[in-house]
Amino acid sequence: MRKVVMALLGAASVVVACGAADATTIPFNYTIINTHTPADTDPTQFFESSIDLKTGTNPAPASSSLTNYNSPDSGYVGGTAYANMASGQLKAESFSNDPEGQFFYNQQNAIFGDGFRAMTPSGPFQWTPGSSGRFDITLDGTVSASPDITTMGVGGFIILTIYQPGTLDPNQNLVGSPNILAYYMWLVGNPNQNIYSCDFHGNCVPLTPNEVFTDFGDAIHVSQDINVGGDFDWSLILGFSGQDSTAGYYDMDFSHTLDLSYTGPDGTTTGSISGAFPNTVLTSDPVDAPEPFTLSLFGAGLAGLSAARRRRKAS
């Protein structure tokens, strides 16, 4: 099968020593749509791509695309994405009807990000090893496909990434940023999907899923506890990626909604740089600069590689 790499928001591989004192968190809503038919077709006729970035608290309006290949009878590929940090909601859908197995490529990403700090009536909260904040994710959607989606080179994912405070920038690499503290990834729909972190030179390293979800009879619930020792930035991505040579169709529809919520440590109020994320208050105080550190990470965007078909099991 043909190997396809699509790098988004890329950056070079770097080794840095840095602090966050001079940086500024940029809250944002972001949608990315990229669909195309085989590379040997006319890209001016058979290519759809759109990027909608809204910094601040304005939601990114729903983006969508539909690409027909020669005629509706020969197949089509498309999808939608929507991001609204003020409601804590992401929506996305990816679909394809490929009766001839023509390697249609499809990628949709709905993304938002913000910066959080824990506050008490007496001032900033002092984190301890026993402190904990929690992100809760609920995803409601459906997956239909013929043949079974697990035999195809397409799939969905959710990625929560935690960054050094004051470093979140929608123009940086959101998974391979040198300021990353941790990432958590959940595959949705296809346990065989492989997601890679890549630079623009095609150097890639695989991202490891925390869990895989294939049953959509009920809404999916995920809780992720974190303790980063202080203020932090974060981003959340709901996305689809892949290319399949198998004749058939699929529709991964998570426009039913992903809802994200956050609960800070006991006895704290969560301040956010946006002041818009649900159940947070606007904080204009500068974030505390962490101790200088050295962190080597592969710069990358999100890349879906459809060639590998080895089965992934939930961790």
Side-chain angles (χ1 to χ4, degrees):
M1 177 177 289
R2 184 181 302 178
K3 181 182 291 186
V4 175
V5 178
M6 188 63 185
L8 302 178
L9 310 176
S13 178
V14 291
V15 178
V16 297
C18 64
D22 298 326
T24 302
T25 299
I26 304 174
F28 63 88
N29 296 276
Y30 209 169
T31 60
I32 300 171
I33 298 287
N34 191 341
T35 65
H36 65 77
T37 52
D40 57 356
T41 62
D42 179 356
T44 63
Q45 185 176 1
F46 303 114
F47 182 82
E48 290 287 341
S49 181
S50 66
I51 297 177
D52 197 343
L53 169 63
K54 300 293 184 182
T55 57
T57 60
N58 292 327
S63 298
S64 64
S65 74
L66 172 64
T67 302
N68 288 322
Y69 181 42
N70 293 333
S71 71
D73 292 339
S74 296
Y76 56 83
V77 61
T80 64
Y82 172 79
N84 187 343
M85 182 176 56
S87 66
Q89 293 186 332
L90 300 174
K91 303 173 185 285
E93 181 179 10
S94 179
F95 53 84
S96 175
N97 181 21
D98 187 2
E100 300 176 13
Q102 301 168 92
F103 290 97
F104 293 169
Y105 181 79
N106 215 359
Q107 186 163 23
Q108 293 78 29
N109 290 305
I111 312 167
F112 50 37
D114 203 350
F116 283 172
R117 73 179 315 177
M119 304 183 299
T120 70
S122 59
F125 175 73
Q126 300 301 312
W127 290 70
T128 68
S131 302
S132 180
R134 172 173 289 185
F135 283 95
D136 286 294
I137 298 170
T138 301
L139 178 64
D140 187 14
T142 59
V143 174
S144 59
S146 179
D148 189 89
I149 193 73
T150 60
T151 69
M152 295 183 171
V154 296
F157 49 84
I158 303 167
I159 303 178
L160 171 67
T161 310
I162 310 298
Y163 311 90
Q164 291 275 335
T167 64
L168 181 63
D169 183 338
N171 296 304
Q172 74 181 2
N173 181 327
L174 293 180
V175 178
S177 164
N179 303 306
I180 192 174
L181 296 175
Y183 77 86
Y184 311 92
M185 183 173 73
W186 301 272
L187 297 182
V188 289
N190 190 349
N192 303 320
Q193 175 76 343
N194 295 275
I195 308 300
Y196 284 69
S197 177
C198 302
D199 64 19
F200 283 126
H201 300 290
N203 302 308
C204 300
V205 293
L207 300 180
T208 303
N210 294 70
E211 195 169 355
V212 179
F213 297 102
T214 58
D215 183 357
F216 303 98
D218 296 308
I220 294 169
H221 298 279
V222 176
S223 294
Q224 182 61 57
D225 292 329
I226 64 167
N227 183 344
V228 294
D231 301 346
F232 63 94
D233 290 357
W234 61 270
S235 69
L236 186 72
I237 302 172
L238 171 63
F240 306 98
S241 183
Q243 183 180 40
D244 193 63
S245 63
T246 304
Y249 80 90
Y250 68 85
D251 187 351
M252 293 178 286
D253 185 1
F254 297 113
S255 60
H256 304 293
T257 303
L258 181 153
D259 288 288
L260 178 71
S261 62
Y262 175 76
T263 304
D266 291 343
T268 67
T269 298
T270 300
S272 67
I273 302 302
S274 72
F277 191 84
N279 299 315
T280 67
V281 297
L282 178 67
T283 176
S284 59
D285 295 336
V287 297
D288 298 327
E291 291 297 321
F293 72 107
T294 299
L295 178 62
S296 176
L297 277 180
F298 223 74
L302 293 183
L305 299 189
S306 62
R309 289 185 175 276
R310 63 183 181 274
R311 189 173 189 82
R312 289 191 185 274
K313 295 184 179 180
S315 58

